[in-house]
Every structure is written in structure tokens, then in C-alpha cells.
């Protein structure tokens, strides 16, 4: 799939980031995540003992999507050793024809929005 580089993703290592859940917030969709950060991210700190990356909780904010299509992924949600849910890794692509494509272990989604951002509160 041909995609466009998203500067907003600089500093995030999505392949080792994890989707924690999602919710509708008014007209927006918020995908809560545990982000793995690269050393060039302003919130980066040395990884904790036993961790491969610096992790920070945050979210992907999809503002006022005008079109959403979803396809289910795996049917079972896994639990991590600490009991928290693991909804899998994240891939996010911008299509040259417009819109975005999101792939997780749990679902795939295509959506059209003018504003998408990754946030760490």
C-alpha cells in the first residue's frame, strides 16, 4: 500500500506501541494507546529496567471523521501478564488519495478526516 509520511508520527515507534482501547468523544474518535517513543521524541526518557523502549500513555485523536469503515481482526483480546488488556500493535498510514488506514490486531479501519494527531498528555 502506498502511503505518505506523517511528520506527526516522528518520535513514535508504532510497531511496538499498543492500542489500549477506544471511545467516541463527541464527534471525535479517541484511540488510547501505550506509545513506544524514539529518542528524538520530547517525552523520551531512558527505558525502565526490563523494557525495550520508553513507553508513555497517550492517544490518537481522529477529529470529526466524515467516513469510517471497519473490518474485524482477531476475535480474542489477549491479556498481558499484569492482567491488562493487550489490543495489539498499531500501523497508521495516510493514503495519497486521501484518508487514513489504521491496522491493529483487533481491527482495521479506514477513515476520512482533516485532523489526526498523536497526543501524550
Amino acid at each position: 500500500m502506498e502511503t505518505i509520511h506523517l511528520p506527526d508520527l516522528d518520535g513514535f515507534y508504532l510497531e511496538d506501541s499498543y492500542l489500549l482501547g477506544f471511545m467516541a468523544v463527541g464527534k471525535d474518535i479517541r484511540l488510547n494507546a501505550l506509545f513506544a517513543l524514539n529518542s528524538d521524541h520530547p517525552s523520551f526518557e531512558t527505558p525502565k529496567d526490563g523494557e525495550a523502549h520508553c513507553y508513555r500513555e497517550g492517544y490518537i485523536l481522529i477529529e470529526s471523521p466524515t467516513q469510517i469503515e471497519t473490518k474485524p481482526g482477531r476475535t480474542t483480546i489477549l491479556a498481558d501478564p499484569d492482567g491488562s488488556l493487550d489490543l495489539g500493535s498499531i500501523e497508521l498510514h495516510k493514503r495519497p488519495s486521501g484518508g487514513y488506514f489504521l491496522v491493529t490486531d483487533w481491527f482495521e479501519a479506514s477513515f476520512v478526516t482533516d485532523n489526526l494527531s498523536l497526543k501524550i498528555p
Side-chain angles (χ1 to χ4, degrees):
M1 168 190 317
E2 184 181 353
T3 60
I4 296 171
H5 173 73
L6 297 170
D8 287 347
L9 300 183
D10 291 345
F12 291 89
Y13 185 54
L14 292 183
E15 291 83 3
D16 278 348
S17 298
Y18 301 94
L19 183 66
L20 300 174
F22 56 93
M23 67 176 81
V25 181
K27 295 180 180 181
D28 303 335
I29 297 174
R30 181 174 162 162
L31 304 168
N32 296 325
L34 183 61
F35 291 120
L37 303 181
N38 293 323
S39 60
D40 57 339
H41 192 280
S43 295
F44 178 84
E45 293 180 357
T46 302
K48 295 178 183 175
D49 286 342
E51 293 187 345
H53 302 285
C54 169
Y55 290 98
R56 292 285 181 273
E57 285 195 34
Y59 56 92
I60 300 170
L61 183 62
I62 303 165
E63 296 183 47
S64 301
T66 57
Q67 181 181 7
I68 304 170
E69 296 178 22
T70 61
K71 175 182 161 187
R74 70 173 185 228
T75 57
T76 305
I77 298 173
L78 303 176
D80 285 335
D82 66 1
S84 62
L85 297 180
D86 177 357
L87 300 181
S89 62
I90 302 167
E91 291 181 35
L92 182 61
H93 307 277
K94 182 170 176 66
R95 294 182 166 161
S97 59
Y100 294 85
F101 185 62
L102 175 76
V103 179
T104 70
D105 289 346
W106 198 42
F107 68 92
E108 296 178 7
S110 295
F111 49 90
V112 176
T113 182
D114 290 331
N115 297 305
L116 178 136
S117 57
L118 279 67
K119 308 274 188 185
I120 296 180

